[in-house]
Amino acid sequence: LIMGLMGAFFWAIRGTGGFGGETGGILAGLGWAMLWLGFSRFVGGAEYQPYGSGRMVAAITGGIALGGMTGYGVYISWLNGDYYLNYPKDPRPIAAWTGYAMLFVCGIHWGGITGAFMAWCAPKKALRTQDWVWRILSGIAGAGAALAFVHAFPQLFLPFYSEGLYDVAEYKTAQRALGSIQNIAPHVGLFLGFLGFEIARKDWRAVKLMALMALGFAIPFAVGGYWQTQHGSALRIDWWKNWEMTIGLGGGLTFGLAFYLFNQPDAKMAPRPVTRLERIFGIGLTLWIAINTVLLGTYEGYIRLHERKDSLEGTRDTAFVLANGIALLLFAAWVYRTAKMKQQTLEHPDTSPMSMKLLPGILGIIVVAGFVISTPPQMQLANHVLLTLYTVYVGGSALLFGLLWKRCDSP
C-alpha cells in the first residue's frame, strides 16, 4: 500500500511542469527505488534477499526513466472516439478501444523493461560473458524485429492508413501518431527480446517478475484511460492527473506485490556482500544523476509555474553548472569513501549499500519538489483537489509506515 500510495504521488509529479519524459521517469523511479531498498533493509536479512542489493536502485530508476522516452498523448483523443489529422480540427470517428489498446501497449514496455532490469540483479543461474552478449543481442533483435513489423504492417496500428493520410506533412497529429507507433515498437520489442532470453534459459523467476511488472503497469495505463473521457464534465478538475495517479497507484502496488512474491529472504542463499561496484554505480552514480535531475526539474517547474521566466531565465545555466558541480564533488567523495572501505566491512551482514539515514532525505526532496511545482500563486479548484490528494498519499504512507514499524517492534 505504501508503494501504491507513494506511487500515485510520484507518477502525478512525473508529468508536472519541469518534468516529463525520461526526466519525470527518473523522479518516479528514484522514489520507488528508495522505497524498495529501504524495505529490503527494514524487514531484515537483506543479504539473503534475491533482490535486496543496491543494484536495484539503478535497475528501477533506469527502467522507469527509459519508459519515459516514448510518448502517448496522441492516443487520448482516441479514447473519446475521435481521430484528428490536425488537432483540433475535423475529428473523425474511431473505435475507443484502439486508444485503450495503445495505452496498454505503452504500459507493457514501461513496466516490462523495468522488470527486466530488476530480474538482471538476481539471475537464478550466474551468467557468463557470452550469456550477457546473447541477452543484449536478444533485446536488440527484438527491438529491430518489432520496428520492422510496424514498418511492414502500419495499417494494423494506424487508423485510415490506406487513405495515404500519413504521407501529408500538414497533418501534424497524424504524423505524431506515426512517430509514436515507431517509437513505442522497439521498446516493446526490446522487452519481448529480453523476456524470450529468460524463457530460453528457463529462469522462471525472472520470467514471472518481468510478466508481473509488464501487466502491472499495462492494466492501470489502460483502465486509467477512462478518466480521459471526463474532460467535458462540469466538474473542473485535472482529469489527466487522475489518470496519472491511477497509473502510479497500480504501478506502485505492482512493485509491492513483486517485493512480496520475489524478494523474501532465502535461507538457501549464501549471504551476499556489498560490492564496491554496487556502491559506486548502482548507488552513487544513480543518485548523482537522479537527485540532480529532480532539483533542476523543480527549479524549471517553479520558473514556469510562477511565470518568472523574465527574472530567472538567465539563472538556469548557472544553476545547472552549480548543481552538477556539487553533485560531481559528492560523487567523487562517495567513490573515494567506497575505495577506502575494508573488505571485511563490505562483507559484514549489517553493512548496507548506502546509509539508510539518506533515504528519508531523498524521499523528502521528492515530496517537497512535488508540492513546490504543484502550488501556483493563484489556486483553483483543481489545485486544491490535487494538493489534498497529495497530502493524503504522503500522509497515509507515513501513517502506514508507522503502523508497520510498530508491528515489527512488537514482541
Side-chain angles (χ1 to χ4, degrees):
L1 286 174
I2 293 171
M3 288 279 204
L5 289 174
M6 288 303 297
F9 176 80
F10 296 150
W11 208 269
I13 302 306
R14 187 205 66 81
T16 305
F19 294 97
E22 59 271 23
T23 59
I26 286 175
L27 180 144
L30 175 65
W32 273 319
M34 290 296 97
L35 290 176
W36 186 286
L37 183 64
F39 282 126
S40 295
R41 306 303 303 185
F42 179 76
V43 301
E47 69 276 17
Y48 295 101
Q49 293 173 1
Y51 299 102
S53 75
R55 293 188 293 273
M56 291 295 289
V57 174
I60 295 173
T61 306
I64 297 297
L66 183 62
M69 297 178 71
T70 60
Y72 44 77
V74 71
Y75 307 117
I76 302 307
S77 64
W78 297 16
L79 299 171
N80 292 283
D82 293 325
Y83 176 84
Y84 291 92
L85 295 175
N86 203 6
Y87 184 84
K89 300 176 182 178
D90 303 323
R92 299 179 63 172
I94 188 176
W97 70 264
T98 57
Y100 288 103
M102 287 309 304
L103 293 182
F104 185 88
V105 172
C106 287
I108 281 279
H109 81 74
W110 210 316
I113 293 177
T114 302
F117 291 169
M118 293 166 66
W120 291 4
C121 295
K124 272 287 189 178
K125 184 173 67 175
L127 275 76
R128 301 163 297 176
T129 301
Q130 57 265 42
D131 296 325
W132 270 103
V133 171
W134 281 111
R135 170 182 269 172
I136 301 302
L137 288 177
S138 296
I140 294 174
L147 184 60
F149 186 81
V150 166
H151 276 284
F153 303 101
Q155 66 274 15
L156 299 178
F157 307 95
L158 296 168
F160 314 114
Y161 187 82
S162 60
E163 299 179 22
L165 305 176
Y166 299 91
D167 296 326
V168 182
E170 288 75 16
Y171 293 158
K172 300 297 184 184
T173 308
Q175 292 296 319
R176 186 182 172 195
L178 174 63
S180 179
I181 293 289
Q182 294 175 348
N183 188 15
I184 290 172
H187 283 77
V188 175
L190 185 68
F191 162 64
L192 293 177
F194 289 150
L195 182 64
F197 176 83
E198 302 301 340
I199 292 173
R201 69 191 302 263
K202 299 181 180 179
D203 189 340
W204 302 120
R205 183 176 68 188
V207 171
K208 292 175 183 177
L209 174 59
M210 293 167 67
L212 173 65
M213 291 298 299
L215 291 174
F217 271 77
I219 293 172
F221 244 95
V223 172
Y226 170 77
W227 295 113
Q228 298 286 5
T229 67
Q230 302 299 305
H231 287 290
S233 170
L235 184 58
R236 299 298 182 181
I237 63 175
D238 195 335
W239 297 105
W240 187 289
K241 286 296 181 189
N242 280 31
W243 175 52
E244 291 180 324
M245 290 186 289
T246 301
I247 296 170
L249 176 64
L253 290 173
T254 302
F255 270 112
L257 183 58
F259 189 100
Y260 175 76
L261 292 177
F262 304 111
N263 201 35
Q264 299 295 327
D266 184 356
K268 299 179 182 179
M269 176 180 161
R272 178 187 54 248
V274 175
T275 68
R276 289 182 172 83
L277 288 178
E278 173 188 350
R279 273 182 54 87
I280 291 172
F281 295 104
I283 301 287
L285 184 61
T286 303
L287 291 183
W288 167 43
I289 295 172
I291 295 176
N292 214 30
T293 300
V294 171
L295 292 176
L296 290 172
T298 303
Y299 188 65
E300 175 70 23
Y302 177 85
I303 291 176
R304 296 184 190 179
L305 185 65
H306 291 264
E307 299 180 349
R308 301 288 297 277
K309 185 174 181 179
D310 292 337
S311 59
L312 295 177
E313 179 77 11
T315 65
R316 285 194 295 183
D317 290 342
T318 302
F320 179 83
V321 172
L322 182 62
N324 276 281
I326 294 174
L328 189 58
L329 289 174
L330 292 173
F331 177 60
W334 180 277
V335 172
Y336 175 78
R337 183 178 179 182
T338 300
K340 299 291 288 184
M341 292 180 71
K342 297 180 180 179
Q343 188 62 33
Q344 55 265 40
T345 300
L346 293 169
E347 294 177 355
H348 196 280
D350 290 337
T351 298
S352 172
M354 64 173 272
S355 172
M356 289 298 100
K357 294 180 181 179
L358 292 174
L359 195 146
I362 295 171
L363 289 173
I365 289 173
I366 296 174
V367 170
V368 171
F371 279 90
V372 166
I373 61 177
S374 303
T375 310
Q378 296 184 355
M379 299 280 287
Q380 305 292 329
L381 174 62
N383 306 119
H384 286 291
V385 170
L386 280 180
L387 291 175
T388 299
L389 288 172
Y390 294 168
T391 302
V392 169
Y393 298 149
V394 176
S397 297
L399 176 61
L400 287 172
F401 182 73
L403 294 173
L404 183 62
W405 186 296
K406 182 178 180 180
R407 190 182 73 177
C408 290
D409 279 351
S410 298

